[in-house]
Amino acid sequence: MPKVVVVYLSTSGNTKAMADAIVEGAVSRNVDALAMNFHEAKIEELKSADAIAIGSSTFYYKMLPPMEKFIESLAKANVKAKVGAAFGSYGWSGEAPGMIAEKMREIGIKVIDPVLRVQYAPAEKDIEECRRLGKDIANKIKPAR
Ligand SMILES: Cc1cc2nc3c(=O)[nH]c(=O)nc-3n(C[C@H](O)[C@H](O)[C@H](O)COP(=O)(O)O)c2cc1C
């Protein structure tokens, strides 16, 4: 089964809620999907992924440095997924998802445009958008029938 891996950094659960909804959306399209905190993300898991979604909230106008390092480690491990997506919760400026997309493109992952950003805690309509993104990702990696 095609597989989506969603990796997130979330300090108070907002970006995690987005990640969980992306997984829900993907699963509803009958692909394998799981969400992992970037601390526990295993490179092997990512190597076997057909799509990778990466999310981070914005701190001091960027993503937190450990997330940046994590994305760089993907490049070193030669992780290449067919499809990518970037997302994250933010407060007022929200740079992190755009920066994630840029880094993913640098390592050769084709990232869905536009990135998905939600201000603070996702409301039901935001969760629905996250599910929609999960479905879009799944549709892109499902074999044509
Ligand atoms: C110390 C600190 C710095 C922050 N800096 C920014 C920032 O520069 N731009 C922004 O849009 N939001 C900023 N925020 C807001 C967070 O991105 C926002 O609270 C987000 O919902 C947190 O999501 P999370 O629970 O997934 O970490 C900051 C929050 C804190 C606590």
Side-chain angles (χ1 to χ4, degrees):
M1 224 197 264
K3 181 168 136 185
V4 185
V5 176
V6 182
V7 182
Y8 61 86
L9 181 160
S10 183
T11 59
S12 66
N14 295 339
T15 302
K16 180 184 187 301
M18 296 178 72
D20 291 340
I22 291 168
V23 165
E24 242 180 77
V27 167
S28 78
R29 286 291 183 270
N30 299 313
V31 300
D32 193 7
L34 74 159
M36 302 185 288
N37 188 304
F38 82 105
H39 282 302
E40 59 192 30
K42 293 190 188 68
I43 292 288
E44 287 314 310
E45 199 80 67
L46 287 152
K47 276 190 166 170
S48 65
D50 299 286
I52 299 175
I54 300 181
S56 171
S57 41
T58 298
F59 285 88
Y60 306 109
Y61 307 102
K62 52 192 189 111
M63 68 177 123
L64 287 172
M67 188 48 137
E68 222 169 310
K69 288 214 179 70
F70 171 76
I71 300 174
E72 281 158 15
S73 75
L74 296 185
K76 287 200 189 95
N78 204 24
V79 170
K80 289 252 190 285
K82 278 178 281 190
V83 175
F87 64 96
S89 169
Y90 70 102
W92 49 92
S93 59
E95 288 86 351
M99 292 172 74
I100 291 170
E102 199 180 307
K103 281 216 165 275
M104 290 177 87
R105 289 189 181 111
E106 276 170 21
I107 66 173
I109 300 173
K110 218 174 149 209
V111 182
I112 294 174
D113 207 29
V115 299
L116 181 55
R117 306 189 311 164
V118 166
Q119 202 169 17
Y120 294 116
E124 184 49 37
K125 71 164 182 25
D126 303 313
I127 290 293
E128 199 44 58
E129 262 197 82
C130 295
R131 289 190 193 116
R132 164 56 51 201
L133 176 61
K135 289 174 189 172
D136 287 349
I137 295 169
N139 289 338
K140 282 186 194 293
I141 58 171
K142 277 167 82 161
R145 278 191 290 173

